[in-house]
Amino acid sequence: MTNVVAALIWQGDKFMICQRPSHKARGLMWEFVGGKVEEGESFENALIRECREELAIEIKPLDIFTEVKHVYPDITISLTLFNAVITSGEPILLEHEDLRWIKPSEIDEYQFCPADKEILEKIKCNTQI
């Protein structure tokens, strides 16, 4: 099982999604910014490092939004999604193909990684009036 962390970052009524590089597994699918937790690294520190490496932003992890486990053909992950805020910088695409800020009502317009499906349903449910 590989521990993975990701950030749910809101800007008003929209949240950030990133498009995976075409050459990676699940290429061009959409996901939350984040990545694998390295040996001896806290989940929060891993998320800070990943956001710095992938988007050149500094973030502050807040509480855990949700946790999911998912089995892909090539990897089994335990994904922890943190609510987070950008403390400095503007996102720059250092690894991803694209970045968007979307409303929960727009989720179905994008093809997300399968592990994110349960998370996206929770976002939809939490934001419906």
Side-chain angles (χ1 to χ4, degrees):
M1 178 94 59
T2 302
N3 287 320
V4 175
V5 291
L8 176 56
I9 301 171
W10 290 89
Q11 192 174 73
D13 63 347
K14 297 181 178 186
F15 64 96
M16 178 195 296
I17 60 171
C18 299
Q19 190 176 35
R20 291 179 61 81
S22 59
H23 65 276
K24 289 201 168 182
R26 291 159 291 286
L28 300 180
M29 287 186 167
W30 292 86
E31 65 180 2
F32 300 95
V33 62
K36 294 176 185 167
V37 179
E38 294 178 357
E39 187 72 35
E41 191 175 39
S42 74
F43 284 25
E44 291 86 351
N45 285 341
L47 188 57
I48 291 166
R49 175 185 50 76
E50 288 286 348
C51 288
R52 192 179 292 142
E53 289 174 358
E54 294 182 1
L55 296 175
I57 56 173
E58 295 297 323
I59 62 123
K60 178 181 179 184
L62 304 172
D63 58 321
I64 293 174
F65 180 76
T66 194
E67 297 173 285
V68 297
K69 291 184 179 16
H70 189 82
V71 179
Y72 286 110
D74 58 323
I75 190 172
T76 298
I77 65 167
S78 175
L79 171 61
T80 302
L81 183 71
F82 286 86
N83 285 303
V85 293
I86 298 173
T87 57
S88 68
E90 286 292 323
I92 299 168
L93 296 174
L94 301 177
E95 171 151 343
H96 293 94
E97 298 284 330
D98 199 359
L99 178 149
R100 303 268 171 90
W101 293 93
I102 69 167
K103 294 180 179 183
S105 61
E106 298 171 314
I107 287 171
D108 295 338
E109 298 171 27
Y110 296 86
Q111 185 180 4
F112 283 89
C113 292
D116 295 333
K117 186 173 183 188
E118 188 179 317
I119 294 168
L120 295 161
E121 288 303 316
K122 187 171 181 180
I123 291 171
K124 285 185 200 176
C125 290
N126 285 357
T127 55
Q128 287 176 347
I129 298 170

